[in-house]
């Protein structure tokens, strides 16, 4: 097959093998008339990944002229954006999750203005519950702070109360998060899904 477009590809290797790996990759790309870019046009990112205690002490010998000329070098301890998810510090993870939580809440507020409870419930379940943050949960799981997960769930509870046309007790909100076969509304919470989503992604 001919590959005409590739994005977000990732290569992992030992630091001392980076130069050779990039050389071979560039040679094969050149055969197809493609390039990773260089200088200010470089799109590749090269960074050390590992325990902080080792990464910070690792010698810079792996940063050869080829690596420096064709890669961005963000350094250690920095956040990197991969497939829509910020990977790095705890602060970066939670900040991105909370930004998304705010956007989901805006969407839920629009759903709640429809004026038909059945429609609002279906849309909240399909477009406004944990499905909107599953990719974060798969990437980070319980590395997200409990307060961030609870913020998402509290906003979701408010939307369920709007759909139900009134305040609900804590027990009623818990029941709403059960599946429909168990007498619930099938509205899933971030706290409940965080660990299963993370484990499932690792098993895959």
């Amino acid at each position: 097959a001919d590959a005409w477009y590739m994005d977000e590809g990732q290569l992992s290797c030992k630091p001392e093998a980076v130069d050779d790996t990039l050389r071979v990759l560039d040679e094969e790309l050149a055969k197809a008339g493609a390039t990773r870019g260089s200088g200010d046009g470089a799109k590749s990112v090269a960074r050390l990944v590992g325990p902080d205690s080792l990464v910070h002490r690792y010698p810079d010998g792996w940063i050869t002229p080829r690596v420096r000329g064709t890669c961005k070098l963000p350094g250690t301890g920095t956040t990197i954006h991969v497939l829509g998810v910020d990977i790095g510090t705890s602060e970066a993870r939670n900040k991105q999750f909370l930004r998304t939580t705010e956007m989901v809440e805006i969407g839920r507020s629009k759903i709640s203005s429809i004026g038909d409870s059945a429609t609002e419930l279906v849309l909240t379940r399909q477009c406004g519950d944990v499905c909107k943050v599953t990719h974060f949960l798969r990437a980070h799981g319980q590395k997200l702070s409990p307060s961030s997960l609870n913020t998402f769930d509290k906003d979701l509870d408010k939307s369920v109360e709007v759909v139900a046309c009134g305040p609900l007790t804590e027990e009623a909100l818990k029941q709403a998060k059960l599946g429909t076969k168990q007498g619930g509304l099938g509205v899933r919470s971030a706290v409940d899904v965080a660990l299963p989503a993370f484990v499932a992604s690792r098993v895959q």
Side-chain angles (χ1 to χ4, degrees):
D2 292 329
W4 66 275
Y5 179 82
M6 293 188 297
D7 197 13
E8 298 279 9
Q10 295 195 48
L11 266 165
S12 297
C13 64
K14 293 181 179 180
E16 55 268 26
V18 173
D19 189 273
D20 284 338
T21 301
L22 293 180
R23 176 180 55 78
V24 172
L25 177 61
D26 288 340
E27 289 172 356
E28 294 303 313
L29 287 172
K31 293 176 184 177
T35 177
R36 293 184 299 114
S38 60
D40 292 337
K43 292 185 176 180
S44 299
V45 177
R47 60 185 285 154
L48 288 176
V49 178
D52 289 342
S53 59
L54 297 178
V55 166
H56 288 298
R57 295 201 319 258
Y58 203 89
D60 288 338
W62 67 276
I63 305 177
T64 63
R66 183 194 317 276
V67 175
R68 190 176 299 280
T70 63
C71 298
K72 297 174 184 174
L73 301 167
T76 58
T78 55
T79 299
I80 187 168
H81 192 74
V82 181
L83 293 175
V85 177
D86 287 344
I87 307 294
T89 64
S90 175
E91 181 183 2
R93 286 193 295 267
N94 287 287
K95 188 175 181 180
Q96 186 187 28
F97 183 84
L98 290 173
R99 279 200 312 268
T100 303
T101 296
E102 290 175 1
M103 290 189 290
V104 174
E105 180 57 24
I106 291 171
R108 289 197 201 109
S109 67
K110 294 179 179 179
I111 290 173
S112 66
S113 67
I114 292 173
D116 179 77
S117 292
T119 302
E120 291 171 3
L121 175 61
V122 171
L123 289 176
T124 298
R125 285 174 50 191
Q126 298 297 322
C127 311
D129 75 349
V130 78
C131 63
K132 288 293 187 182
V133 292
T134 300
H135 59 297
F136 294 119
L137 303 182
R138 287 175 62 83
H140 301 310
Q142 292 185 313
K143 287 185 178 180
L144 290 165
S145 72
S147 63
S148 294
L149 296 173
N150 283 322
T151 296
F152 181 92
D153 288 347
K154 286 178 182 176
D155 287 343
L156 178 59
D157 287 346
K158 291 176 187 175
S159 295
V160 171
E161 288 180 326
V162 170
V163 170
C165 300
L168 298 176
T169 65
E170 186 176 344
E171 289 181 348
L173 288 169
K174 285 182 179 179
Q175 182 175 352
K177 291 166 187 166
L178 295 174
T180 53
K181 291 183 179 180
Q182 287 77 40
L185 297 178
V187 180
R188 297 167 299 159
S189 76
V191 169
D192 292 341
V193 176
L195 183 58
F198 184 70
V199 171
S201 73
R202 291 303 179 267
V203 170
Q204 281 190 335

